[in-house]
Amino acid sequence: MKKLSIGMRLTLWYLAIFAVAQVIFGAGMWFLLHHHLYDLVNDSLESQVEDLKNFLEAQKKDATIAKLQEEVDETYTLEHSGDYLQLYADNDALIYRSTFLQVHPVPLAAPGKANRAIFKDLRIDGRHFRFRRQNLAANGHAYTATMGVPTEDVVETLDLFRSYLLMFAPLLFLVAAGGGYWLSRRALAPVDALVRTAREVSGANLNSRLQKLETGDELQRLSDTLNQMLDRIEQAFLRVTQFTADASHELRTPVSLIRTEAELALRRSRGEAEYLESLRHILLEAERTTVLIEQLLAMARTDSGRETLHMQPVNLTRTLGSVSEGWRQVATSRNLQFSVDLPVQDAFVMADEAALHRLIDILLDNAFKYTPAPGSVHFSFENKGEKAIMAVRDSGVGIAEEDQPKVFERFYRADKARSRDRGGAGLGLAIAQWIVSQHRGSIAVESRPGHGATFRVELPLIAAPVENPLPA
Ligand code: ADP
């Protein structure tokens, strides 16, 4: 089933509460009016009882029933207050009964011994009455008086009030429904506007933003948050498109070099030596392309969050020792001096050993790449407080000051011609920085152009792990 819109649900809730409130209010008012009007009727009956009592008190003490009948008859027949009166003396002797009650006897139970009044609402001959029957003691005699008051007006007023309520309630309900719906539409109109704009945002116009609301409420917070989200999405999108463009560009160069080399070799028949030379060039370019593709894949994996590192305690002294050993051969072949300075004692970091390996390889590879013979490369590591500080220092070409902050950016090459010549695509240091950040460390460069560069990496040290004793 399709869910109702918020506007519709708000309206329905509002109407439900309004209807309940309306019923409570109407019923409350009706009961109050009812109570008040019948209070007036009771007051009138009360004062009639008082009058009768005073009248009976005023009679002679030794008056006979006949005398009393005569007196009451004389007084009450003329008065309207006697229209619905009936009076009995002690021994059930009827003293007075108005003409109306003679025709319509009132079915009221006797009040019994107590002097508490009994009330009864009756409909006689199509008319409404309230009767009161009560025992009276006056002048040494006991009487039972029944007296009534027509309540036609009261009943009519209450009926009228009820019909007004029933007549206006639906009208009020309709007005409330319309008002409620209008209010909810008005309050939620900005949401519709947000939805409309959000629908129009696509990859092609990621720079468009939702209309800025100045309502200072939840909706403004919502639109601001969505806009911030769009900012982040746009940035990520731009990074991806930029990455794709740069990657394609980088890949095109070695592929076209390989192609040109092969085309030239095939243009005419050549001697074996020339073919071998061409094949060597092609192989070199193919190897560079492989490295580049691996770097691109690594970047793509880090971007997608799929590159997961397996952190565990690593003996840094030992790892750095073995990584640097692997570079000795390269140093000799390039005619460069290579010195390694590692502490004697073991030091541990929380790290992914393969990533750590890669980080050092990138830094040493750069140092050897950008240091012409006869130069030197120095690799050192020391513990300072809670940190392990590794440094790769070379005596090579160095990096201009304005380039230093940028060398960690993707595809950034400080010296384009020279870097390209040495096979770099400007991705090595970006990967190195990612690895360092994953290890909660930092990387920085210091350099004087023409006098070499020093790359420094800081990683947090951990306590030496407790070796598991071998089971006996
Ligand atoms: P590449 O693969 O081009 O070497 P990197 O990201 O490793 O890419 O380095 C980015 C740029 O920083 C390089 O192109 C180079 O210009 C500069 N660079 C890096 N290391 C050194 C260094 N040791 N000496 C001089 N320049 C360096």
Side-chain angles (χ1 to χ4, degrees):
M1 197 182 83
K2 198 167 175 279
K3 279 246 178 185
L4 290 175
S5 68
I6 293 186
M8 209 55 190
R9 271 184 286 162
L10 272 180
T11 313
L12 289 179
W13 270 109
Y14 166 68
L15 280 184
I17 293 168
F18 182 82
V20 171
Q22 218 182 7
V23 167
I24 292 174
F25 175 78
M29 292 309 285
W30 190 84
F31 276 112
L32 275 179
L33 189 65
H34 183 277
H35 190 73
H36 178 71
L37 291 177
Y38 276 102
D39 262 3
L40 291 179
V41 172
N42 290 348
D43 285 352
S44 154
L45 284 168
E46 179 79 44
S47 71
Q48 285 189 29
V49 170
E50 279 303 310
D51 286 352
L52 180 63
K53 208 171 162 189
N54 291 341
F55 172 80
L56 292 172
E57 292 279 8
Q59 300 309 310
K60 286 205 180 88
K61 239 189 172 78
D62 51 357
T64 60
I65 294 291
K67 180 70 185 156
L68 275 174
Q69 278 174 339
E70 194 184 311
E71 287 293 327
V72 174
D73 206 31
E74 201 168 283
T75 314
Y76 276 89
T77 309
L78 295 176
E79 280 185 25
H80 286 303
S81 56
D83 284 356
Y84 310 103
L85 175 68
Q86 170 179 287
L87 185 65
Y88 280 92
D90 327 82
N91 32 27
D92 280 352
L94 178 66
I95 293 180
Y96 179 78
R97 182 181 278 154
S98 66
T99 333
F100 183 82
L101 292 184
Q102 284 166 24
V103 183
H104 308 286
V106 180
L108 264 181
K113 289 276 172 277
N115 280 344
R116 224 161 48 80
I118 297 174
F119 291 91
K120 187 144 190 165
D121 293 314
L122 291 172
R123 195 158 176 204
I124 302 167
D125 211 10
R127 293 170 64 198
H128 293 272
F129 292 92
R130 170 162 279 199
F131 282 96
R132 169 177 174 144
R133 170 172 280 195
Q134 188 172 5
N135 289 340
L136 292 174
N139 230 351
H141 291 281
Y143 301 93
T144 301
T146 304
M147 51 192 57
V149 166
T151 52
E152 212 56 34
D153 290 350
V154 173
V155 171
E156 259 174 33
T157 308
L158 284 173
D159 279 353
L160 198 67
F161 184 71
R162 197 176 45 211
S163 41
Y164 278 156
L165 277 183
L166 291 179
M167 194 164 73
F168 285 114
L171 213 71
L172 224 71
F173 192 77
L174 277 181
V175 172
Y181 188 69
W182 178 78
L183 262 181
S184 70
R185 294 295 319 150
R186 212 178 108 96
L188 294 172
V191 175
D192 286 340
L194 290 184
V195 169
R196 270 197 304 280
T197 339
R199 270 203 194 116
E200 282 158 19
V201 178
S202 70
N205 63 346
L206 258 184
N207 59 346
S208 61
R209 291 291 174 268
L210 305 182
Q211 180 194 351
K212 187 153 176 48
L213 299 179
E214 297 290 354
T215 45
D217 55 12
E218 293 86 342
L219 291 178
Q220 185 182 342
R221 280 211 300 282
L222 177 70
S223 75
D224 288 351
T225 312
L226 287 175
N227 277 337
Q228 286 159 8
M229 188 180 77
L230 281 174
D231 285 345
R232 289 195 297 273
I233 292 177
E234 188 188 9
Q235 289 305 319
F237 196 78
L238 287 179
R239 267 206 307 276
V240 170
T241 41
Q242 183 65 43
F243 180 73
T244 316
D246 289 343
S248 321
H249 180 77
E250 291 299 330
L251 280 170
R252 205 171 54 190
T253 321
V255 170
S256 70
L257 278 175
I258 289 174
R259 203 175 140 185
T260 316
E261 188 74 43
E263 279 171 356
L264 278 177
L266 290 173
R267 195 162 285 171
R268 60 180 170 79
S269 98
R270 290 162 198 269
E272 193 186 330
E274 274 184 275
Y275 280 130
L276 282 177
E277 183 60 24
S278 290
L279 280 177
R280 251 195 299 279
H281 278 145
I282 289 175
L283 184 63
L284 189 69
E285 276 308 322
E287 278 169 356
R288 285 180 177 180
T289 315
T290 310
V291 172
L292 174 61
I293 289 174
E294 271 167 12
Q295 286 184 329
L296 289 174
L297 279 176
M299 294 267 59
R301 274 202 304 272
T302 60
D303 281 349
S304 67
R306 272 188 293 134
E307 180 84 323
T308 43
L309 298 182
H310 303 288
M311 299 295 198
Q312 56 186 29
V314 170
N315 186 333
L316 196 58
T317 319
R318 212 183 299 160
T319 306
L320 297 186
S322 76
V323 180
S324 52
E325 269 321 295
W327 285 89
R328 290 209 182 276
Q329 190 63 38
V330 182
T332 317
S333 71
R334 300 217 184 147
N335 203 14
L336 292 173
Q337 237 184 34
F338 182 41
S339 54
V340 179
D341 181 11
L342 300 177
V344 193
Q345 75 275 29
D346 286 341
F348 291 85
V349 287
M350 222 29 192
D352 177 308
E353 196 161 1
L356 209 57
H357 224 284
R358 195 153 185 212
L359 167 69
I360 308 302
D361 276 347
I362 291 170
L363 296 181
L364 285 175
D365 183 42
N366 278 350
F368 286 116
K369 261 194 316 198
Y370 300 109
T371 306
S376 67
V377 173
H378 182 71
F379 178 45
S380 68
F381 153 51
E382 56 176 337
N383 298 332
K384 247 197 191 147
E386 312 265 277
K387 286 181 180 143
I389 300 175
M390 295 177 266
V392 176
R393 194 178 71 227
D394 63 57
S395 62
V397 295
I399 305 165
E401 199 158 336
E402 67 272 18
D403 288 327
Q404 288 174 19
K406 298 184 192 157
V407 290
F408 298 101
E409 289 172 14
R410 292 172 180 192
F411 300 105
Y412 190 83
R413 287 186 290 230
D415 184 341
K416 314 257 170 328
R418 201 197 304 256
S419 302
R420 172 66 229 156
D421 191 34
R422 286 169 170 79
L427 284 175
L429 287 177
I431 295 174
Q433 193 178 43
W434 181 82
I435 294 173
V436 171
S437 73
Q438 292 299 300
H439 287 77
R440 292 190 287 124
S442 62
I443 184 168
V445 61
E446 272 169 35
S447 175
R448 220 151 50 90
H451 291 86
T454 303
F455 282 85
R456 201 167 267 115
V457 174
E458 288 189 7
L459 294 181
L461 283 169
I462 58 164
V466 183
E467 297 276 336
N468 273 344
L470 288 173

